[in-house]
Amino acid sequence: MARYTDANCRLCRREGQKLFLKGDRCYSTKCAMERRGYAPGQHGQGRSKASDYALQLREKQKTKRFYGLQETQFRNLFDKADRKQGITGENLLILLETRLDNVVFRLGFASSRKEARQLVTHGHFTVNGKKVNIPSYTVKPGDVIKVKEKSTNSPKFKEVKEMTITVPEWVSVDVEKLEGKVLSVPTREQIDTPVAEHLIVELYSK
């Protein structure tokens, strides 16, 4: 599957806000959005009024980039959300939030979703005692996500043990044990990703 390989900071500049794709750098003065808070390219500083379609498209692109999904993955997840009972937009965000790579990020075991996806792919985590290396794996209430015993001595996770981590209400974490638990399915109010999901639903409903 094709992956975006250009500079991540260009994505933030294109969407006009920080997507926090580079971990700690996004919180520093080195962040590209702090230095050049306009879209990349020679026309990046031009002003133009966006159409409704453009706004919907940008919201979809922004959400994809927040969670690190490709177009086909995102569309398949939207179709799954649309088939579920409830509000499609909220269902979509819940499905995105309960991906294993996002939960690893939410637990503070990675500084960005991109790093979390890499750590999961490299097999550093278990779910309920079984190794899972699929970033898109959907976690459920009661699932326990833990760093593999062989990985606990790596510099990365030694660093995590020394951190003070704040997690969302729908998960809990024991930093000393490098273990987290999914307490419940997140509600829309517990998801702080700045996304206007109704615009995505409008886009795909055309």
Side-chain angles (χ1 to χ4, degrees):
M1 181 179 292
R3 277 281 173 199
Y4 177 81
T5 57
D6 207 342
N8 286 322
C9 293
R10 287 177 64 88
L11 298 180
C12 297
R13 291 175 60 205
R14 181 65 188 87
E15 302 307 333
Q17 70 181 89
K18 292 186 180 186
L19 303 179
F20 300 98
L21 302 175
K22 300 197 74 172
D24 294 338
R25 184 187 180 94
C26 299
Y27 297 94
S28 73
T29 55
K30 293 182 180 180
C31 174
M33 282 298 296
E34 299 288 347
R35 295 182 287 120
R36 293 176 292 172
Y38 50 85
Q42 72 180 91
H43 302 297
Q45 297 185 68
R47 294 184 178 180
S48 61
K49 185 177 180 180
S51 65
D52 289 344
Y53 173 77
L55 292 173
Q56 294 162 0
L57 179 62
R58 289 264 57 85
E59 200 67 22
K60 187 260 291 183
Q61 294 293 85
K62 180 181 74 175
T63 307
K64 275 173 45 184
R65 289 163 176 171
F66 258 123
Y67 289 97
L69 272 66
Q70 295 296 304
E71 179 62 38
T72 301
Q73 289 177 302
F74 192 82
R75 183 56 199 252
N76 288 342
L77 211 60
F78 177 85
D79 290 341
K80 184 176 180 180
D82 195 31
R83 291 192 298 268
K84 292 171 69 73
Q85 289 187 340
I87 302 172
T88 299
E90 292 186 11
N91 289 342
L92 175 63
L93 287 181
I94 290 170
L95 288 173
L96 289 166
E97 282 289 314
T98 52
R99 284 171 53 97
L100 178 58
D101 55 356
N102 180 75
V103 173
V104 166
F105 166 68
R106 292 294 193 186
L107 290 171
F109 295 152
S111 61
S112 67
R113 290 183 178 88
K114 182 177 181 179
E115 183 184 40
R117 186 164 52 254
Q118 185 179 52
L119 291 172
V120 171
T121 302
H122 289 178
H124 290 294
F125 294 94
T126 63
V127 178
N128 300 328
K130 296 182 180 179
K131 186 178 85 169
V132 178
N133 59 3
I134 303 171
S136 62
Y137 179 88
T138 300
V139 300
K140 301 178 292 296
D143 283 353
V144 175
I145 296 91
K146 189 171 184 178
V147 177
K148 281 178 57 181
E149 188 67 33
K150 290 183 179 179
S151 303
T152 55
N153 292 324
S154 72
K156 167 64 188 176
F157 295 116
K158 284 183 178 179
E159 182 181 322
V160 170
K161 280 188 174 184
E162 298 173 358
M163 296 169 59
T164 300
I165 297 173
T166 302
V167 299
E169 297 174 359
W170 55 279
V171 295
S172 65
V173 64
D174 186 326
V175 178
E176 188 60 34
K177 293 182 179 179
L178 293 175
E179 176 180 295
K181 185 175 182 179
V182 180
L183 302 177
S184 64
V185 173
T187 64
R188 180 64 185 93
E189 291 72 24
Q190 292 172 328
I191 300 173
D192 60 2
T193 309
V195 170
E197 64 273 14
H198 69 278
L199 293 177
I200 301 171
V201 176
E202 290 172 7
L203 176 68
Y204 281 136
S205 298
K206 290 183 181 296

